[in-house]
Amino acid sequence: QVQLVESGGGVVQPGRSLRLSCAASGFSFRSYALHWVRQAPGKGLEWVAVISYDGSRINYADSVKGRFTISRDKSKNTLYLQMDSLRTEDTAVYYCARDSRTDAYNFDYFDFWGQGTLVTVSS
Amino acid sequence: DIVLTQSPGTLSLSPGERATLSCRASQSVSSSLAWYQQKPGQAPRLLIYDASSRATGIPDRFSGGGSGSDFTLTISSLEPEDFAVFYCQQYGRSPLTFGPGTKVDLK
């Protein structure tokens, strides 16, 4: 079965960095685009970033552009989110989610989600 | 960016009642709309995609409708496990955006 397991969250001071990981299993990792979606405490869902199935297309939300970097390692079936220059408003649960399409550069809905990892940015 | 507006913010109903949730887009997204259910402490779960197609394993009491800018999610008869927050999401245009959610709680 499809599994997405996030890790790497924790408490970090403003201005510092953190790297999240998402280990994928149960499907053909190299065939699907993958996203990061976040949810601030008590708030709604916010799409953060996407990387295409082959890593050639990457998009970011304006709120994180220039500070976050999404990447993937097909040899490890793992998705990453490098978060630099963190701000208090980046505090959220970060989910990785699989895009519904295979082998495509257009991004759709999210058919599987991980359980999330909490990032708290606080001094 | 396409803004999604969901109404009502909260819907207070009893088991067995019908729930009708609305999602309106600031511009047309054709049928590129999905619905998710989220329970406290859990990840969202896909319910509906392409405005009206049920995801795998979703009971047929859940149905979606609409196209263009106006969409609805209907739960024909609420079961105890259905009480949750529901989000719509559009994928008609980048960036992908979500609505603010509708909470369905116990009356």
Side-chain angles (χ1 to χ4, degrees):
Chain A
Q1 73 281 20
V2 173
Q3 280 201 304
L4 298 166
V5 180
E6 302 93 337
S7 61
V11 180
V12 61
Q13 292 179 327
R16 305 297 290 263
S17 299
L18 204 61
R19 188 177 83 156
L20 306 183
S21 300
C22 173
S25 61
F27 65 99
S28 176
F29 181 80
R30 60 186 65 201
S31 295
Y32 288 86
L34 294 168
H35 302 257
W36 288 100
V37 177
R38 69 183 180 183
Q39 186 170 37
K43 302 297 185 182
L45 300 166
E46 179 188 16
W47 172 80
V48 173
V50 62
I51 185 167
S52 63
Y53 70 101
D54 60 0
S56 65
R57 300 273 178 97
I58 288 174
N59 291 335
Y60 297 99
D62 286 346
S63 57
V64 307
K65 202 172 292 183
R67 301 187 299 121
F68 288 12
T69 303
I70 189 172
S71 62
R72 62 192 295 161
D73 185 338
K74 62 186 178 184
S75 70
K76 296 182 178 178
N77 283 4
T78 300
L79 172 73
Y80 301 100
L81 186 67
Q82 177 67 40
M83 303 186 295
D84 298 324
S85 303
L86 281 161
R87 305 168 180 168
T88 55
E89 56 264 36
D90 295 320
T91 294
V93 174
Y94 284 74
Y95 296 101
C96 68
R98 193 183 82 168
D99 195 274
S100 61
R101 289 205 192 196
T102 56
D103 304 318
Y105 296 122
N106 292 318
F107 308 119
D108 280 359
Y109 53 92
F110 316 104
D111 59 358
F112 288 95
W113 298 67
Q115 282 305 300
T117 187
L118 175 62
V119 173
T120 303
V121 184
S122 172
S123 54
Chain B
D1 296 4
I2 293 179
V3 176
L4 298 179
T5 304
Q6 291 188 243
S7 61
T10 302
L11 199 51
S12 296
L13 296 168
S14 301
E17 290 193 292
R18 183 184 188 88
T20 302
L21 288 65
S22 173
C23 177
R24 178 164 290 179
S26 59
Q27 52 189 287
S28 175
V29 298
S30 185
S31 295
S32 299
L33 191 106
W35 290 92
Y36 303 87
Q37 177 190 50
Q38 188 179 34
K39 298 178 182 179
Q42 296 186 16
R45 176 176 71 145
L46 175 67
L47 297 176
I48 301 288
Y49 63 94
D50 293 346
S52 60
S53 297
R54 266 188 304 276
T56 302
I58 301 303
D60 59 8
R61 63 180 181 272
F62 292 92
S63 63
S67 65
S69 301
D70 285 298
F71 302 89
T72 57
L73 174 69
T74 301
I75 310 171
S76 59
S77 178
L78 281 163
E79 296 288 338
E81 62 269 26
D82 295 340
F83 292 90
V85 179
F86 295 83
Y87 294 96
C88 57
Q89 177 240 328
Q90 68 81 24
Y91 45 98
R93 195 167 296 194
S94 180
L96 307 177
T97 52
F98 291 92
T102 290
K103 183 178 183 179
V104 178
D105 66 11
L106 204 51
K107 189 173 183 181

